[in-house]
Amino acid sequence: MMQQMHTILETDWGYMNAVWTDIGLWQLDFPLKTKPQEPEGTATPDVDLWSEQLRKELNMYWRGFVVHFGVPIDWRGYTSFQKSVLTYTAAIPYGQTISYGTLAKEIDNPKAVRAVGGALHINRVPIVIPCHRVIGANGSLTGFGGGVELKQALLLLESGIAES
């Protein structure tokens, strides 16, 4: 069984629970306004470094800066298709969007539009893998684990319209 370590990151948009393995970031929860209970256990030196790096990168992101997240991601548990969708999504430039259909075409699987949505739905590390940048073909903001309101707020933040 894989050992997981939790850290609570205090960011400009709230507290975020990060779950780490010995390989990298396993899960990142959406921001909470109140601080959750501190996890038990001791993190490894790598996890401490990764947590601090991620906290700094998230705060830069929340302040409207273009951030290329550099923490390692633990890709275990994803199928090769899901990983291809998420890897492509991770490369969508800050402030830009792409439709589910276009993403399916870009990964050479144009008929897999619904499967692309399914892969994005199980993204364990939102923001780091910016699934909020994938939108409906008509520009609609659909399908986001944090809710449409948060998706809209993230896209507004990246467009420079939102206030810091």
Side-chain angles (χ1 to χ4, degrees):
M1 186 160 151
M2 163 179 43
Q3 180 184 5
Q4 295 182 342
M5 294 151 276
H6 296 252
T7 56
I8 304 300
L9 308 172
E10 186 173 357
T11 75
D12 290 349
W13 274 32
Y15 296 95
M16 299 178 77
N17 178 48
V19 181
W20 305 91
T21 67
D22 59 333
I23 293 174
L25 185 60
W26 176 261
Q27 178 181 324
L28 182 65
D29 296 341
F30 291 108
L32 300 170
K33 295 295 178 197
T34 58
K35 187 175 183 177
Q37 183 175 349
E38 286 289 339
E40 292 189 23
T42 307
T44 65
D46 282 344
V47 167
D48 287 338
L49 289 173
W50 295 335
S51 291
E52 183 58 20
Q53 177 184 348
L54 182 57
R55 186 192 63 73
K56 287 178 182 176
E57 290 172 343
L58 285 166
N59 279 329
M60 293 300 290
Y61 175 80
W62 296 129
R63 292 174 188 153
F65 292 94
V66 176
V67 174
H68 302 283
F69 291 95
V71 296
I73 296 172
D74 186 339
W75 293 99
R76 292 180 289 186
Y78 292 118
T79 66
S80 59
F81 174 79
Q82 292 164 341
K83 186 176 176 185
S84 70
V85 169
L86 295 171
T87 302
Y88 190 90
T89 302
I92 299 171
Y94 181 94
Q96 295 184 22
T97 58
I98 187 173
S99 73
Y100 294 92
T102 301
L103 197 157
K105 290 175 191 166
E106 290 295 325
I107 61 167
D108 297 323
N109 208 332
K111 293 184 179 182
V113 177
R114 291 177 84 69
V116 164
L120 294 171
H121 179 72
I122 62 167
N123 175 14
R124 296 185 307 251
V125 291
I127 314 302
V128 173
I129 297 177
C131 53
H132 61 277
R133 295 179 188 155
V134 184
I135 60 173
N138 63 357
S140 61
L141 304 183
T142 61
F144 188 61
V148 174
E149 297 82 16
L150 180 57
K151 185 172 190 166
Q152 183 176 30
L154 294 170
L155 293 173
L156 288 172
L157 172 74
E158 292 183 12
S159 72
I161 295 172
E163 301 220 0
S164 303

